[in-house]
Amino acid sequence: MKQIVFDDEYFNIVDTLNCGQIFRFRAFDDGFLVFSKDKACFLRQNNGVISITVNEDDENYFYRFFDLDRDYKKINDFAKSDGVEIVKKSAELGKGIRILNQDAEEMLFSFVISQNNNIPRIKKSIEFLCREFGRKKTFMGVEYRSFPTANELVGAELSQLKEAGLGYRAEYISGLACKIASGYSVESLKNFNTDDLRAELISLKGIGEKVANCVLLFGFNRYDSFPVDTWIEKVYKEDFLGEFTSRHKITAFFMERYKDYAGLIQQYLFYYKRSLEKR
DNA sequence: GGCCAGGATTTAA
DNA sequence: TTAAATCATGGC
């Protein structure tokens, strides 16, 4: 076991886990277990310090996973200086949000499931897939399951997938698993520039512009992407008083405005808007 | 019982 | 090029 220690001024565990970018974590002891791919780590926050407990071999993976090299102060300050009130407020509330560098393949499957769905249900479906098709692992004495590989998913019957509550998305998951298992390399996509990669992702069945932007942001570490979902659409209409109706144009509007900072500011806005109307 | 959720696809205009 | 219909599922 090894510990990564990090100042918590721009790292809040609860906000980072609950802002809708990650679906696999659970409260444990005085912190949280977080799962990615076949790996796990344990996060705690006290006395102004985040401590991340990892297996020796996973230190580099989770250092990158939690985006520990990025200057969050710079982006947060920029957002707080924005002329639109909700951007300032969301940056204050979301100051501790970090964009996680998650596994690209896991993000592909996860965000295909996310379409026209809600976060609690997405979590349940993913938990089911891990429990049913992932491998059994233990970390700090706790049992968990790895996220199933494409090879593990491709063996599943459609009827099995539907037990996960995937609905019509089951066919997308099955198709994607089949494509990857038969040689399509997600890894090699990392060499694409952002626009080419977005186009490539959209060409996959079950992935449109919004999901592609989520995968770009959370799975490929591309901050120059701005997913527009129902909440962001509300922000655009209610707080920016925008006139565009198509999500494509709304995305373009925010991309032009925030450029390389778009990804994090999008998370600020999503988390803030959703927290207002959820209770 | 209709509306909504981190929408995408297909078809029609 | 954009608009509307359709697609499961569960919580409210």
Side-chain angles (χ1 to χ4, degrees):
Chain A
M1 289 296 182
K2 213 156 175 180
Q3 298 248 356
I4 304 171
V5 175
F6 197 80
D7 186 278
D8 77 346
E9 188 177 2
Y10 294 94
F11 192 164
N12 181 284
I13 296 175
V14 171
D15 294 337
T16 295
L17 295 179
N18 285 307
C19 70
Q21 60 178 325
I22 181 169
F23 305 108
R24 295 172 63 218
F25 60 90
R26 60 172 183 259
F28 175 72
D29 199 16
D30 58 343
F32 292 88
L33 289 166
V34 175
F35 310 101
S36 174
K37 227 168 145 175
D38 57 344
K39 306 177 194 309
C41 69
F42 175 65
L43 286 181
R44 252 182 326 197
Q45 183 163 20
N46 52 32
N47 298 326
V49 170
I50 304 282
S51 68
I52 310 168
T53 306
V54 300
N55 283 326
E56 307 264 348
D57 293 343
D58 296 339
E59 186 178 2
N60 290 339
Y61 182 86
F62 282 111
Y63 187 90
R64 180 172 186 282
F65 185 86
F66 291 108
D67 207 23
L68 298 184
D69 274 334
R70 192 180 303 274
D71 185 356
Y72 275 77
K73 174 174 167 48
K74 189 171 65 176
I75 309 178
N76 191 256
D77 286 347
F78 175 82
K80 282 181 188 162
S81 72
D82 192 273
V84 177
E85 192 64 19
I86 193 172
V87 182
K88 293 183 189 177
K89 287 196 166 178
S90 69
E92 287 167 14
L93 175 79
K95 182 180 177 184
I97 292 175
R98 303 186 80 80
I99 303 284
L100 304 177
N101 289 315
Q102 302 185 70
D103 179 64
E105 186 173 317
E106 181 170 341
M107 291 299 96
L108 276 172
F109 285 114
S110 298
F111 279 92
V112 163
I113 294 172
S114 80
Q115 67 173 82
N116 200 25
N117 208 338
N118 58 62
I119 292 176
R121 283 196 70 235
I122 298 165
K123 281 184 184 163
K124 279 184 190 169
S125 290
I126 291 175
E127 276 166 24
F128 182 95
L129 292 181
C130 293
R131 191 167 61 247
E132 210 63 24
F133 305 110
R135 279 163 291 129
K136 196 177 290 187
K137 307 272 291 182
T138 60
F139 178 78
M140 290 173 61
V142 180
E143 188 173 295
Y144 70 99
R145 300 293 177 130
S146 60
F147 192 90
T149 63
N151 274 310
E152 286 163 344
L153 284 173
V154 84
E157 296 293 332
L158 216 53
S159 59
Q160 279 182 288
L161 291 178
K162 293 200 171 173
E163 288 174 33
L166 298 180
Y168 65 90
R169 309 170 194 84
E171 295 179 18
Y172 298 148
I173 294 299
S174 165
L176 186 58
C178 186
K179 180 155 184 152
I180 295 173
S182 51
Y184 182 78
S185 168
V186 175
E187 191 63 28
S188 70
L189 298 178
K190 294 180 179 172
N191 300 319
F192 287 38
N193 69 48
T194 301
D195 285 339
D196 289 348
L197 179 50
R198 183 181 297 107
E200 173 64 21
L201 295 178
I202 289 174
S203 78
L204 301 172
K205 204 126 203 180
I207 297 183
E209 187 176 6
K210 188 271 171 184
V211 167
N213 280 322
C214 283
V215 175
L216 281 170
L217 183 55
F218 306 131
F220 287 94
N221 195 22
R222 308 298 171 98
Y223 262 57
D224 51 338
S225 54
F226 196 96
V228 174
D229 72 323
T230 57
W231 296 101
I232 294 295
E233 199 173 324
K234 274 190 186 184
V235 169
Y236 176 73
K237 287 178 179 160
E238 296 173 6
D239 302 283
F240 281 78
L241 306 178
E243 309 256 322
F244 296 136
T245 55
S246 82
R247 289 190 175 186
H248 177 71
K249 287 188 177 175
I250 297 173
T251 302
F253 168 81
F254 282 112
M255 283 295 297
E256 172 63 23
R257 186 178 173 99
Y258 296 122
K259 299 189 166 63
D260 287 346
Y261 295 163
L264 181 58
I265 291 176
Q266 191 274 355
Q267 280 306 102
Y268 287 161
L269 290 170
F270 173 83
Y271 189 54
Y272 181 78
K273 194 68 173 178
R274 192 163 171 268
S275 74
L276 285 183
E277 306 202 12
K278 295 264 173 187
R279 80 195 146 255

